[in-house]
């Protein structure tokens, strides 16, 4: 089963990180969310503390759907407010299509590139980052102790990388290297999101204004594909915006959850 942490009380909010990351990516916003909600932080298959090999017998899409159904059953949930970043945003949208979402907040979600050639940029970026991470791993903890070092190694993900805790940054790097087999498998199976039917739940797509991984032009494609969703910009934020502007990210999540809660009260 997927590894997770749970804290807080209230409406259930499940936080899903991006490819190559881990549940600690949400650390900057967890305390604020746990004051309002029952918060569940999840490690994707082959990431963090979750087991590897879950993608061996079926497609990534099928495996992720199956694993989240098992997790929800274990947690006693039939649905939850889903929040995802990057790959996690794509997962959240697809779980919504499967009827498992009360709302979705997708932060720079994957799946809105123009085609395979366009996606080759993402593959090349992760390939180069993985190569650097493996080479520098023995000395990375020392490099990451300084704000300049964190900026040099994390600027591809964040607009303000010096804000990241040095120990968390070192842990993120170890996790990235450890996920390389899973990461290669996921990148090889990458596909564009094709909206089918997202059951009647509020959806917010929040795109980082300084995203260097999934470039901001993809926000326009998301607007077209998800025309009924609320689309907002996260100015001054990089691809992983939680540490760049925690308050802005929390506001986007709370706004979506509260919209769903209000809609539920009206329906009742």
């Amino acid at each position: 089963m997927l590894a997770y942490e749970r804290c807080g009380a209230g409406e259930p909010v499940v936080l899903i990180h991006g490819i190559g990351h881990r549940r600690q990516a949400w650390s900057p916003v967890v305390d604020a969310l746990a004051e309002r909600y029952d918060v569940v932080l999840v490690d994707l298959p082959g990431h963090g503390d979750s087991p590897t090999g879950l993608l061996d017998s079926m497609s990534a899409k099928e495996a992720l759907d199956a694993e989240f159904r098992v997790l929800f059953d274990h947690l006693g949930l039939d649905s939850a407010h889903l929040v995802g970043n990057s790959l996690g945003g794509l997962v959240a949208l697809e779980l919504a299509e499967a009827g498992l979402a009360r709302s979705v907040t997708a932060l720079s979600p994957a799946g809105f590139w123009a085609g395979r050639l366009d996606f080759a940029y993402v593959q090349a970026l992760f390939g180069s980052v993985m190569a650097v991470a493996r080479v520098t791993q023995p000395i990375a903890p020392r490099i990451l102790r300084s704000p300049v070092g964190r900026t040099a190694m994390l600027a591809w993900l964040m607009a303000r990388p010096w804000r990241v805790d040095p120990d968390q940054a070192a842990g993120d790097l170890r996790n990235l290297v450890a996920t390389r087999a899973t990461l290669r498998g996921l990148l090889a199976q990458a596909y564009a999101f094709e909206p089918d039917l997202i059951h009647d739940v509020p959806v917010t797509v929040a795109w980082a204004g300084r995203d260097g991984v999934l470039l901001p032009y993809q926000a326009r494609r998301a607007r077209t594909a998800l025309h009924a969703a609320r689309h907002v910009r996260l100015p001054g934020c990089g691809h992983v915006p939680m540490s760049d502007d925690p308050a802005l990210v929390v506001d986007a999540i709370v706004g979506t959850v509260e919209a769903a809660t209000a809609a539920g009260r009206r329906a009742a």
Side-chain angles (χ1 to χ4, degrees):
M1 192 179 68
L2 299 177
Y4 71 93
E5 296 178 43
R6 195 172 191 176
C7 57
E11 286 280 310
V13 174
V14 176
L15 306 178
I16 311 171
H17 63 77
I19 190 170
H21 221 147
R22 56 185 184 142
R23 65 183 186 268
Q24 286 82 359
W26 300 100
S27 295
V29 300
V30 166
D31 288 346
L33 292 175
E35 291 177 359
R36 296 170 174 262
Y37 309 121
D38 171 14
V39 180
V40 181
L41 302 84
V42 183
D43 280 332
L44 289 174
H47 294 69
D49 297 319
S50 285
T52 58
L54 298 177
L55 309 180
D56 294 343
S57 59
M58 60 184 77
S59 72
K61 183 175 181 178
E62 292 170 332
L64 289 165
D65 180 86
E67 287 300 322
F68 273 93
R69 288 181 184 276
V70 170
L71 178 66
F72 274 38
D73 184 63
H74 173 77
L75 295 172
L77 301 175
D78 58 0
S79 63
H81 301 280
L82 304 178
V83 183
N85 174 223
S86 192
L87 173 60
L90 173 59
V91 172
L93 291 169
E94 292 187 329
L95 292 175
E97 288 187 335
L100 298 179
R102 302 182 190 185
S103 73
V104 174
T105 306
L107 311 176
S108 290
F112 294 97
W113 40 78
R116 295 301 305 180
L117 184 60
D118 186 36
F119 185 68
Y121 161 76
V122 177
Q123 291 175 307
L125 175 62
F126 272 95
S128 61
V129 167
M130 286 294 295
V132 171
R134 292 185 68 182
V135 170
T136 60
Q137 190 176 18
I139 60 172
R142 187 165 66 247
I143 295 173
L144 293 169
R145 282 290 156 194
S146 76
V148 173
R150 292 195 295 281
T151 299
M153 297 191 73
L154 301 176
W156 68 289
L157 280 180
M158 302 155 187
R160 301 174 179 87
W162 56 87
R163 292 185 176 180
V164 180
D165 177 80
D167 291 331
Q168 177 162 327
D172 289 345
L173 183 72
R174 288 193 299 272
N175 173 74
L176 178 63
V177 174
T179 64
R180 58 187 180 276
T182 300
L183 190 149
R184 283 195 297 267
L186 289 170
L187 290 175
Q189 293 189 43
Y191 53 88
F193 179 63
E194 296 181 1
D196 181 13
L197 175 64
I198 293 182
H199 296 261
D200 190 19
V201 298
V203 175
T204 296
V205 178
W207 218 283
R210 295 174 61 183
D211 197 324
V213 178
L214 299 176
L215 303 179
Y217 84 88
Q218 295 181 32
R220 297 193 295 272
R221 296 178 59 83
R223 285 179 182 273
T224 300
L226 298 169
H227 54 84
R230 179 174 70 118
H231 294 264
V232 300
R233 187 170 178 268
L234 301 176
C237 291
H239 181 61
V240 179
M242 291 80 83
S243 62
D244 284 333
D245 197 331
L248 190 62
V249 171
V250 169
D251 285 347
I253 296 168
V254 170
T256 312
V257 174
E258 295 307 303
T261 302
R265 284 197 296 264
R266 289 195 297 270

